[in-house]
Amino acid sequence: MKKIDKEYYEILKQVDYKKLERTLRDSFERQVFYEEKELLIKMLTVAYILLEAQDSKIELKDKDFNSFVNLLDTPAKIKETLQYYANDDVVWMISKNFLDVFQNDELISFILFNDPSNSRRFNYIHTSPEGILKLSLKLLDIKDTDNVLELNSGLGNLGVLTFLDNQKLKFKGVEADTISEHIAILKFSLISDEIIFENTDISNYKIDKEVNKIFINFPFNELPTERYSRFSSDKKFSEWEFTKLLLDKIREGTKVVSIVRENTLSIRQNKNTLKEFIEEGLIETVISLPSGIFQGIGFKVALVIFSKGNKKIKLIDATDLYVVEKKNNIISDENIQKILKLLHEDSKKTISKNIQDIEDNDYNLDVTENIQENYQTKEGVPLKTVIKNITRGSQIRLSELEELKSDKPTPFIYLTLTNINDGIIELNNNEQYLTMIPEKLEKYCIKNNSFLIPKIGTPPYKLAIAQVNDDIKILPNGNFFIIELDESKINPWYLVAFFTSDLGVEYLKYRYKGNIISHLSISDLEKIVIPLYELEEQNKIAQKYIETIDEIKKLKEKLEEKKISLKGIFK
C-alpha cells in the first residue's frame, strides 16, 4: 500500500467519513456491547482490514482472518495488532460484509482523523488537538539531526505530524495505554513502515541519551483513575511532578514542551513546586492558550517550555489567538505563526521577567496577571481603594421567584443581565415586576449610583450605573456584583466609562477566568488598578458618557417607533 505524504494528508482532511463511522458503529452495536474505547479500536481494525483488502484486491468471502493476514505485505507489528482484535468473530464478519462498500479515501480518513476529543462518546481517550501539537513542534524547533521523544503519545498524532514534516529525524512515542498505542500503530503505518511506538509505564521509562527534544502530552481528558494507572508508582503524579522527575534524567541542552493546567501556574498548593522549578532555572517560556481548546475538560491549559540554565522567563498571552470551527475553538496555522512571533518580540501580550522578580511576586506565573500588572497604568490605584461596599446579587430560588412575580407594573423590579443593553438598564418588561420584596432580600436591593458588573460574561460586558428613584426598589439576581463607590474619590459614571473603553475591557478580560464559562471573583475585581484622575477631570469624562447614553436612549426610542410603523405599511 502506497504511503501517505503531506500533500495527500491535507487532501484527506476534506474527506467525509461520517457515514462510514455511523455504519460501523451501528453494525457493532447490533451484535454486541463494547466499552467506547474498545469499540473505537474494533471499528478502526475493520477499516484497516477493508483498506488492505481493497488496495490489494483480496477477496474476503471464503477466507478466515489468518489466511487473509498471511497474504499481507505489512510489518509484523501491524499483523500482530490486527490479530489482537480481529480474532473477534464480529470484527471479521463485519469486515466481510463491507468489502468494497466504502472508498479507500474514506477508510484512510477515518483511521487518521477520527478524533475522540471532538466526541462526548470518547471523552476519556487521551488525545490532544492538532493545533496544540503543531504549535509544540514549532516550539521545540526540531532539526534533521534531532532525536524526539513524546511521552503519553496517545493516538500517535504528534508522530504522524512529525514524520510528515521530516523523515530524517528520529522519533519515538511512549504510551502506557494498550488500545491507544495500537491505534497509533495503525495510524502511523499509513505514513511509514517504521513502527515508532512503545507500550510501557512512563514513570520508569529510561530515556535514551541521544534524546534532545521531548513533548509531554499529559492525559488531562482521561478519568483520574486511568491517568494515575499510567504510573507504576503509587504516587499520583501531577504534570509538574512528572516533569520534574523527567528533567532530572535529561542531559544539558535538551528542550521539553509540556501541557499544564493554567491554574497550576499560581495556586498556593503548587507554590513549592513552582519555587523549585523557578529557582533552578528550569522554565524558559509559559504560553497561556485560548479557552475551549480541549473539548470535554472544564479548565484552561498552557504550554510550558522547559530547559536548563534560564535566567529569565518569557510569559505570552495567546488566549485570543484562535478561530472557531464547527463550534470548537481551534489554533490555526496562522495563529501559530502569530504565537511564534510573540516569542521574539515585546508587546502588550508578552513580558520577560528575571528570576528575582518572579520570586518577589510569590512565584506566581499566571500569565494574564503578570502581563496586566506590567502594562496597566502606573499612576492608578487598586479598585478596592475607591469601593465602599461590594456585594453579589440575590440568589433567590426559582420557585420563590415565581411566587413573587406580578403580571402588572409595581414598584418592585427583579433585574437580570438581559435588562442591561448598551450600558442602559431597560425596565420595560412586565415579567420583571414583583408583588413585593421580602424583608430578608431587601439588603440586596440596589442603591442609587451603584456600579453593576456581571459575575459571568464575555466582551462586551453588561455594565451600567443604576439610577434608582426613591419610589422603586430593584432586586438584582446573583449574576451581578453591585458596587457602592466612594463618590468623594470617584465618579461612578467615570468608572463605567473607563471599563467600557478598549483599555478597560482588556483589564476585565484578564480578570474573567474560566474555560467554558468566564467568571469574575470579588478578589480579582478589587485588584484591578484603574487610572484615577482628579475629580474635575473625572466629572468631564462622566458627563460625556452620560450625554452619549442619553443619545443612545433616544435612538433606541426612534428605532422602536420605526419598527412599529413597519406594521402599518401594508393596509
Side-chain angles (χ1 to χ4, degrees), residues 429-527:
N429 187 340
N430 285 344
E431 293 183 4
Q432 305 301 128
Y433 291 112
L434 305 176
T435 57
M436 62 170 292
I437 294 178
E439 185 178 349
K440 66 178 181 179
L441 297 179
E442 286 202 356
K443 62 183 178 181
Y444 297 107
C445 288
I446 299 171
K447 294 181 180 180
N448 190 47
N449 272 2
S450 291
F451 173 51
L452 306 184
I453 184 170
K455 185 179 186 298
I456 59 174
T458 55
Y461 298 106
K462 289 178 173 279
L463 312 172
I465 300 298
Q467 299 293 278
V468 185
N469 300 326
D470 292 338
D471 56 350
I472 66 170
K473 289 186 177 180
I474 301 177
L475 179 69
N477 74 6
N479 288 330
F480 287 103
F481 287 128
I482 302 92
I483 301 176
E484 184 183 354
L485 296 160
D486 184 345
E487 295 187 42
S488 68
K489 297 178 180 178
I490 191 167
N491 186 316
W493 291 97
Y494 164 80
L495 182 64
V496 73
F498 167 67
F499 280 127
T500 305
S501 70
D502 290 341
L503 181 61
V505 170
E506 285 297 314
Y507 281 28
L508 289 175
K509 280 169 62 178
Y510 285 129
R511 295 301 177 177
Y512 278 87
K513 298 175 181 177
N515 189 32
I516 299 172
I517 299 176
S518 295
H519 61 275
L520 179 67
S521 69
I522 289 178
S523 61
D524 281 337
L525 178 59
E526 290 177 330
K527 290 177 186 176

Side-chain angles (χ1 to χ4, degrees), residues 317-477:
D317 174 15
T319 54
D320 60 352
L321 294 177
Y322 66 94
V323 295
V324 179
E325 292 182 4
K326 298 178 181 178
K327 298 182 180 181
N328 294 328
N329 291 351
I330 306 293
I331 300 177
S332 67
D333 290 347
E334 183 180 350
N335 297 142
I336 290 172
Q337 291 306 313
K338 289 180 179 179
I339 294 171
L340 296 175
K341 188 177 179 182
L342 290 174
L343 276 175
H344 307 292
E345 68 177 28
D346 294 325
S347 74
K348 286 187 176 182
K349 295 292 185 182
T350 68
I351 183 175
S352 291
K353 284 195 166 186
N354 61 46
I355 301 302
Q356 186 59 55
D357 287 340
I358 294 171
E359 291 176 3
D360 293 343
N361 195 28
D362 205 26
Y363 300 95
N364 181 5
L365 289 179
D366 184 281
V367 174
T368 54
E369 288 185 18
N370 277 281
I371 291 177
Q372 187 187 33
E373 288 168 4
N374 180 59
Y375 81 78
Q376 65 188 5
T377 176
K378 304 299 182 184
E379 298 178 359
V381 299
L383 184 58
K384 183 178 182 178
T385 62
V386 297
I387 293 176
K388 290 176 68 174
N389 187 42
I390 181 169
T391 59
R392 185 178 173 185
S394 65
Q395 299 179 62
I396 183 173
R397 294 193 303 274
L398 182 61
S399 58
E400 186 178 358
L401 178 63
E402 289 297 322
E403 291 176 1
L404 291 172
K405 281 188 175 181
S406 170
D407 56 2
K408 298 177 181 179
T410 73
F412 310 110
I413 299 167
Y414 184 67
L415 189 72
T416 68
L417 290 177
T418 57
N419 295 116
I420 297 182
N421 296 290
D422 305 310
I424 301 168
I425 299 176
E426 300 173 337
L427 301 175
N428 53 5
N429 187 340
N430 285 344
E431 293 183 4
Q432 305 301 128
Y433 291 112
L434 305 176
T435 57
M436 62 170 292
I437 294 178
E439 185 178 349
K440 66 178 181 179
L441 297 179
E442 286 202 356
K443 62 183 178 181
Y444 297 107
C445 288
I446 299 171
K447 294 181 180 180
N448 190 47
N449 272 2
S450 291
F451 173 51
L452 306 184
I453 184 170
K455 185 179 186 298
I456 59 174
T458 55
Y461 298 106
K462 289 178 173 279
L463 312 172
I465 300 298
Q467 299 293 278
V468 185
N469 300 326
D470 292 338
D471 56 350
I472 66 170
K473 289 186 177 180
I474 301 177
L475 179 69
N477 74 6

Side-chain angles (χ1 to χ4, degrees), residues 69 76 130 254 266 300:
V69 82
E130 184 174 280
T254 299
S266 59
K300 292 177 65 178

